Amino acid sequence: MIKFYNSKVRKKQEFVPLQEQVRLYTCGPTVYDYAHIGNLKTYIFEDVLKRVLLYNGYEVKHVMNITDVGHLASDDDSGEDKVEKKAREEGKTAWDIAEYYTEEFKKDIEKLNIKKPDIFVKATDTIEEQIELIKILEEKGFTYEIEDGIYFDTSKLDSYGEMANLEDIEPGKRVSMKGKKNSTDFALWKFSKPDENRQMEWQSPWGVGFPGWHTECVVMSEKYLGTPFDIHCGGIDHIEIHHPNEIAQAKVAFGENPAKFWMHGEFLTVDNEKMSKSKNNFYALKDLKEMTFSPLAYKYLVLNSHYRSKLNFSNEAMEGAEKSLSKLQNRVADLEVEAGDVSEDYKEKFLKAVNDDLNTPKALEVVWSLLKDDKLEESVKKATILDFDKVLGFELKKIKTVNHSVDSLLIKIEGEEKMPEDIKKITLKRHKLKEQGNYKKADEMRDRINDLGYEIEDIKNGYKLKSIKNG
Ligand code: AMP
Ligand code: ZN
């Protein structure tokens, strides 16, 4: 049995798909900057969710939006559009900014070995459909116009905000009114300001402008998945505003809550404060690289805590994760046998963990007890760990170990069967230089090996070379 925590009812529920294929929608990035590793924690959780469904034998259709318009600097529908603002600051077009950071996002998720959604859809590619949706809301009497745009009247929907803690959204407490009828009302269509010089704007029945960002996800999920679909995910901040606003529009337009399950990942924090661009306490994956941490080590850190727990980021925590991942990779590299049968016993334990609301810390415990189990045959261990990696996604399959004995020196190479000749030569040269005590020159050889995409590590009786081409 699979159980997930459903934010809609605030408890764990058994998950059974509505149709044969599981339909999953995840709120995607706002592409005005690099994703920070807090954002990426959420995408890692969503990827594990998808992998667990696949592991259980389900087919999954996964849609993710790219927010390239309409996400304003403030949650109360005020402030500048994030993409337009960045374009102005960098002297580029808004389209170029969106394109660049979309591609960077795709590279980031690849580095984390996150499976690509089946459909990536840009908000700017569904403007017509968004206008159609707003027209339906208007016809049904749920909209009103004020100076800066068309708004949704949340007081007209009795069930508004069932998932949220509405006390947080009292007038003046968190959201300013700015002419709205109710503090929870939100923009469906914003008018371009005459002095603003927007690059992304469209004609609509209400005037030239752009859609509010809560409308895009309603349209895209309905367009590609239909209503209702199985699971809608995002970070925990979406419980209060973005997701209640999506639900409100879908209920009015399509007559029901669009998703059966709503799942949310907790925040990544730094010094126990939420990691965010506005607080300027964030790191991107490229910053981790500078700190010499690998993307997969970050993934290890994330999986070692539950997705509904806060995770505090620190150098020490990353060092621990990097060590654990290396240990795991080395243990797998040491399993120099053909994979045999998967251990049913361990698989049952692993499934029990991940099917219990994605308990990845528990799943990692199962991994370590498997590797430490002296009674298991190596071939079974290997098959089982590679099977678990379908969920964990540490690319353990790529870790192949081939031994090359050269001049009685053991050179292990990970990741590829065949050792490039030049690497072998430089490794030997470095070895001889070290023997001669010429450490400066030996270090130069190490740099050359790095330049060729490998990392060299001293091991007993020789060296281990690891491909860093993907790092
Ligand atoms: P954005 O690009 O701002 O639309 O955010 C992308 C995703 O990251 C959303 O699902 C957010 O809820 C999530 N998110 C934002 N900050 C954090 C954080 N510090 N930790 C985890 N998830 C976050
Ligand atoms: Zn969304």
Side-chain angles (χ1 to χ4, degrees):
M1 195 209 290
I2 307 181
K3 278 189 163 187
F4 295 140
Y5 184 89
N6 188 353
S7 306
K8 195 159 89 175
V9 289
R10 297 171 205 241
K11 62 175 187 217
K12 280 193 214 172
Q13 278 184 325
E14 184 181 351
F15 176 78
V16 183
L18 292 161
Q19 297 171 359
E20 218 169 292
Q21 186 187 49
V22 178
R23 288 163 295 158
L24 170 68
Y25 186 90
T26 54
C27 287
T30 308
V31 284
Y32 69 106
D33 203 344
Y34 297 100
H36 63 61
I37 56 173
N39 303 137
L40 294 169
K41 175 184 188 283
T42 296
Y43 299 116
I44 292 172
F45 132 62
E46 293 162 349
D47 183 54
V48 169
L49 166 65
K50 177 165 151 188
R51 284 169 178 269
V52 166
L53 292 165
L54 294 168
Y55 193 68
N56 278 277
Y58 290 116
E59 211 187 292
V60 179
K61 183 173 180 188
H62 176 201
V63 179
M64 185 188 281
N65 64 300
I66 300 283
T67 302
D68 52 358
V69 70
H71 199 163
L72 304 187
S74 166
D75 269 344
D76 66 2
D77 294 316
S78 67
E80 210 173 338
D81 185 311
K82 292 182 180 190
V83 175
E84 296 266 350
K85 181 165 181 260
K86 186 68 169 233
R88 192 171 45 71
E89 284 166 2
E90 291 200 358
K92 300 200 172 103
T93 72
W95 300 96
D96 285 346
I97 291 289
E99 174 75 26
Y100 177 78
Y101 289 110
T102 301
E103 288 314 307
E104 289 301 307
F105 174 73
K106 288 181 181 169
K107 283 186 210 160
D108 280 352
I109 62 170
E110 198 180 325
K111 283 181 192 148
L112 287 163
N113 193 24
I114 287 177
K115 285 180 188 289
K116 261 218 197 95
D118 301 288
I119 299 171
F120 259 130
V121 47
K122 292 187 210 162
T124 50
D125 282 342
T126 58
I127 300 294
E128 260 177 53
E129 290 97 326
Q130 294 185 63
I131 291 174
E132 287 310 310
L133 180 85
I134 301 167
K135 275 199 216 161
I136 296 174
L137 303 176
E138 185 178 42
E139 277 159 23
K140 296 198 174 180
F142 281 82
T143 65
Y144 62 91
E145 182 172 336
I146 56 174
E147 198 191 338
D148 70 347
I150 305 295
Y151 282 75
F152 185 100
D153 187 344
T154 52
S155 68
K156 296 219 164 134
L157 188 71
D158 287 345
S159 65
Y160 178 81
E162 59 204 306
M163 211 159 57
N165 189 1
L166 285 182
E167 281 166 21
D168 277 1
I169 324 180
E170 270 171 32
K173 198 161 170 190
R174 197 174 129 180
V175 172
S176 56
M177 294 299 284
K178 298 216 170 69
K180 295 191 296 189
K181 290 187 185 170
N182 310 287
S183 60
T184 47
D185 293 354
F186 56 91
L188 298 164
W189 188 263
K190 293 272 288 186
F191 303 133
S192 295
K193 290 188 198 127
D195 57 340
E196 202 181 22
N197 249 337
R198 278 189 69 92
Q199 301 175 33
M200 289 178 167
E201 57 180 13
W202 295 264
Q203 284 291 347
S204 83
W206 313 279
V208 175
F210 58 99
W213 79 288
H214 308 302
T215 301
E216 63 178 270
C217 291
V218 187
V219 162
M220 295 182 209
S221 54
E222 155 68 15
K223 179 168 176 178
Y224 295 101
L225 299 175
T227 304
F229 55 92
D230 294 288
I231 311 175
H232 192 135
C233 302
I236 195 154
D237 48 339
H238 289 345
I239 290 188
E240 298 298 324
I241 299 175
H242 182 52
H243 288 165
N245 293 354
E246 280 188 44
I247 293 171
Q249 294 171 84
K251 275 192 173 170
V252 174
F254 316 127
E256 59 189 319
N257 187 316
K260 202 172 151 200
F261 273 74
W262 288 83
M263 292 174 70
H264 296 94
E266 251 291 0
F267 284 144
L268 181 73
T269 58
V270 188
D271 299 328
N272 297 310
E273 260 202 87
K274 178 194 171 190
M275 180 175 286
S276 74
K277 303 245 168 77
S278 58
K279 291 205 184 86
N280 209 15
N281 63 350
F282 66 94
Y283 302 90
L285 222 46
K286 65 182 173 61
D287 302 318
L288 289 196
K289 194 178 175 192
E290 258 169 47
M291 294 154 87
T292 68
F293 294 126
S294 66
L296 291 180
Y298 177 63
K299 184 172 189 167
Y300 191 98
L301 180 78
V302 170
L303 297 191
N304 209 18
S305 82
H306 192 260
Y307 78 94
R308 285 195 294 116
S309 306
K310 280 200 180 76
L311 171 63
N312 197 47
F313 176 81
S314 68
N315 233 311
E316 298 76 58
M318 267 314 293
E319 270 164 19
E322 190 76 66
K323 267 194 201 136
S324 299
L325 178 67
S326 285
K327 197 167 142 196
L328 175 62
Q329 289 169 331
N330 290 341
R331 293 294 284 268
V332 174
D334 289 341
L335 296 170
E336 296 172 45
V337 286
E338 284 291 310
D341 293 328
V342 172
S343 156
E344 288 306 321
D345 188 25
Y346 276 97
K347 183 159 181 149
E348 198 182 309
K349 287 184 196 154
F350 185 82
L351 258 177
K352 195 168 164 226
V354 294
N355 284 355
D356 178 15
D357 196 28
L358 313 177
N359 193 340
T360 51
K362 183 96 200 147
L364 284 176
E365 275 175 29
V366 178
V367 164
W368 287 112
S369 61
L370 166 86
L371 291 171
K372 280 186 203 136
D373 190 338
D374 294 335
K375 286 190 239 64
L376 272 190
E377 277 178 40
E378 300 262 286
S379 64
V380 173
K381 272 190 196 180
K382 184 155 188 174
T384 312
I385 185 80
L386 293 184
D387 183 62
F388 293 173
D389 201 43
K390 289 179 192 161
V391 171
L392 303 170
F394 290 130
E395 298 189 309
L396 297 178
K397 223 177 177 167
K398 283 197 186 164
I399 299 180
K400 291 196 198 99
T401 313
V402 182
N403 293 337
H404 299 257
S405 287
V406 193
D407 296 346
S408 76
L409 195 71
L410 183 67
I411 304 181
K412 278 185 166 191
I413 182 152
E414 281 179 15
E416 282 161 50
E417 306 265 2
K418 210 171 164 301
M419 175 155 57
E421 266 314 301
D422 47 350
I423 293 280
K424 200 191 309 185
K425 274 193 204 139
I426 303 167
T427 303
L428 284 175
K429 204 165 166 192
R430 177 173 175 270
H431 175 69
K432 289 197 178 120
L433 287 163
K434 267 177 53 178
E435 277 189 335
Q436 292 160 4
N438 193 346
Y439 297 108
K440 196 164 166 272
K441 272 255 178 275
D443 281 349
E444 283 174 26
M445 295 302 124
R446 175 193 286 272
D447 292 343
R448 270 176 66 186
I449 290 168
N450 286 164
D451 291 343
L452 289 164
Y454 288 85
E455 211 165 60
I456 186 163
E457 187 188 320
D458 295 358
I459 55 170
K460 207 170 163 213
N461 303 327
Y463 303 98
K464 185 158 89 183
L465 288 150
K466 196 167 126 192
S467 171
I468 50 170
K469 278 173 201 148
N470 296 325

